[in-house]
Amino acid sequence: MKKIVVKFLKILGISISILLLGMFLFPIIFPGKIEKEIKSFANENLKGELNFKEANLSFFNHFPSLTLSLEEFSLKGSEPFKRDTLVSANEIAFGINLKDLIFDGKVTIDEIYLSDAFMNVKVNEKGEANYNVYVSENKKVSKDTSSTAIRLDKISIKNSHLVYDDKSTKILISAKGFNYHGKGDLDKAVFDLKTEAKIDDFNFTFGEDQYLKNKKVNADLITKINTNSLSFIFEENNLKVNKLPIEFIGKLDFLKNGYDLDFNVKSQNSKLNDFFTALPPAYVTWLEKTKVKGSTDLLLTLKGKYIASTNEKPDLAFNMKIREGEINHKETPLPASNIFLNFDTKLPSLDTEKLKVNIDSIFFNVGKDYVKAILKSEGLSRPKIDARIKTAIDLAKLDKAIGIQNMDLKGQLNLDVNSKGVYDSKSKIVPITKGKVLFKNGYIKTDYYPNPIRNINVLADVSDNTGSLKDLKVTIKPASFNFEGKPVYVTANLENLENVKYDIVAKGELDLAKIYKVFSQKGLDLQGYIKADVALKGTQADAVAGNYNKLNNSGTLLLRNIKTSSEYLPKPFVIKEGEFVFNQDKMNFNNFSAVYGQSDFKMDGYMQNVIDFVLSEKGVLKGNFSINANYINVDEFMSNSAKNQAENNPTTAATGVVIIPPNLDLQFNCLAQKVDFDELKMQNLKGNVRINNGKLQLKKSGFDIIGSNVNMDVIYGSESPEKAFFEFEVLAKDFDVKRAYNEVKMFREMASAAESAEGIVSLEYKVGGKLNNAMQPIYPSLKGGGTLSVKNVKMKGFKMFGAVSKKTGKDAIKNPDLSKVDIKTTVKNNIITIERFKFKVAGFRPRIEGTTSFDGKLNIKMRLGLPPLGIIGIPLTVTGTQENPKVKLGRKGEDIEETEYDDTNPEIVKP
């Protein structure tokens, strides 16, 4: 027996040695063939750029399979993502079928292994994806002569990161620690894929909202795949998101330009506690200290076609039920019990205007206290509402029962609200409503600020019996609270929001920065100090009609360091200090000081029609002010209207014109020591500004620039966030042309030939046109004209005069000195027309007229009068460009093609 065992072990050892030797030698014998076949197959079948550092054939990387491993592997995506990586991995390995290799000499890939990979799937707004890198058989141009084939039986992915970013559906999925093991007869046209998947960190975002964050997922799936039609049928799929069990069935068909979806995700009769484990991490922390009982049913469906190019979208629906729920935080004696919820929402065609939300009922107790409600709505911009809310709850008991995070609440809250009907602000329709709010002895304390808001008392009534703004009544008698030892008291009575009848009394002091800290730990989005002692009483109609004797508006409002923002301005406007005194329909400004970016303002004056402006969308704010400023930076007032465009295209700068609000009628007497606007450096600005009907008018203004005094009248208005119109009339006497070229951008662009000129000129000009979103003139839109008066100017470096000098052989004309010449021009359709003018230089008497364009083209007619009297002259024509003028004898020139501006589209010009 001993000899038999020894002999058996020898044979076994020799066999194993031969086998191991074969495993070592086999990759050495076949490496070239296999690597060559794999590369040939990739070139024939992949249209994405493929790269790898090193190829390695071995039995031992994924024992016992023979695998070709590509290290530091990367594959680029398909159009329009050819520059973006689709897959990168520390290693991708292809399992080779030994039987086909040895007996048929054919390389058949039947396994794929991926480790430490980044899989980056992208779909743009048009539905174009980056994963279309495989060339299907009917698209191959050349005949496939490769002996390589794919008949997959196994896919294995370890410790990888998957990102699915679909801009067309606004779905973003990120799965880190992604481990996947799939098996099936993948070489067949239709096969079942059995999958085991595990994800350590799963995140799901839809639109702007993140629904799942840092979740663990375990899945056992059976998916029927049809490779002929690229269809996936999810037959049996059991998942766990943390502890919540989920069943997932449905189908996904890939269409030519989109998807056909039919998903059904449900969790029936699950524990309510398990549902909370699937929520974001903050709830999981809360759950560790909380006992949750009850059952829940969840159902999510997504059905229909998603085709971005035709705007066809599927129907989304979600339903949730909770029965016999109970939440007991830190074993409080009075838990939230008898929790009952029926929640159902539908979003047909993913259209928010068709959104239906139905909370058929929600109810729970805290001891004998209760909350019950029914909430239904249909639509979004013009929602149809049916709401019934009734509570009698001690907030301190509720706080203890459910463990509200980062906040302590106290006080008795009683609500009784019934509201039914349509809300449509444009049509002045509101739901028929009757409601009462009582909040007694309230207390709010958060972790973000050491002191609470105390003694909160609110008694409010809302009623509307007909469903119109005219019948709406809101009464707050009283509302009060105490913060930092300072009481705030408000009473208000508002009736008929079509013609508001108001009676408001407000007293108290409030530090906005501190009270904001009570509710937020983030940056101070709200700052400032307010001290109010005002009483406002009257009607909107009397304020509009000027019946000031019927108004009773009085009191003072002190402001310090108030930061306000507006949709029209990209930066916040900060009121450093100011006293507002109410007197009937006027609000007087006393010692008003403000800053905007680098700009500073001091104002005195008044605003009128304030009540109508605040209460009505059509109300026009009137006012008259005196403004003094040390410095104003006009560029900081540029609109940020192109921000969304810049987010979608980071290479595009976020710019926009200065927006003038349409509902202002304000007059300003302005004095500013220094003003900067698009490289213009102005000093000692004086002028009268009128803002009215969305236009700004600057009249009788004067300022100093480049050592000269300039008088200017301006009209400016914004037509859209991307386009504006302007007219200006300017009178500038005796300014230095060299300084103007160096310091004034618009002069440099309109008179580019003056780069080397020196001397004194005057300008009287009137021009109007359009501005683009960078506040630059759209040249084809400009119309106007005026006179440039030349006084002792050296035309040094003008290439046109140099070319004429060379052509005629007269050196004196190369750099002429001009004195007392008036040059009249007009501007239209991108053409500057120069009227005939004469001058003397070194005995010659040149005469010039013609046209030039803003892009530098020339068509100048010139007569060079010869000494002594210029009776005999040489006719010349100058064409070409300012940079490369062409001079020839004769009178025949080359007309410059006009460019007509198309006002309906500033990007389009008509030749």
Side-chain angles (χ1 to χ4, degrees), residues 540-548:
Q540 185 179 348
D542 287 334
V544 174
N547 298 324
Y548 305 133

Side-chain angles (χ1 to χ4, degrees), residues 19 44 74 119 175 191 293 358 666 690 731 736 886:
L19 180 62
E44 287 285 345
S74 70
M119 296 166 283
F191 61 90
K293 299 179 181 178
N358 184 3
L666 304 174
R690 173 82 183 272
L731 175 61
D736 188 318
K886 298 177 181 178

Side-chain angles (χ1 to χ4, degrees), residues 515-529:
I515 202 165
Y516 180 78
K517 280 186 178 179
V518 172
F519 299 102
S520 175
Q521 61 181 345
K522 298 180 182 178
L524 294 179
D525 297 328
L526 186 62
Q527 298 181 13
Y529 167 85

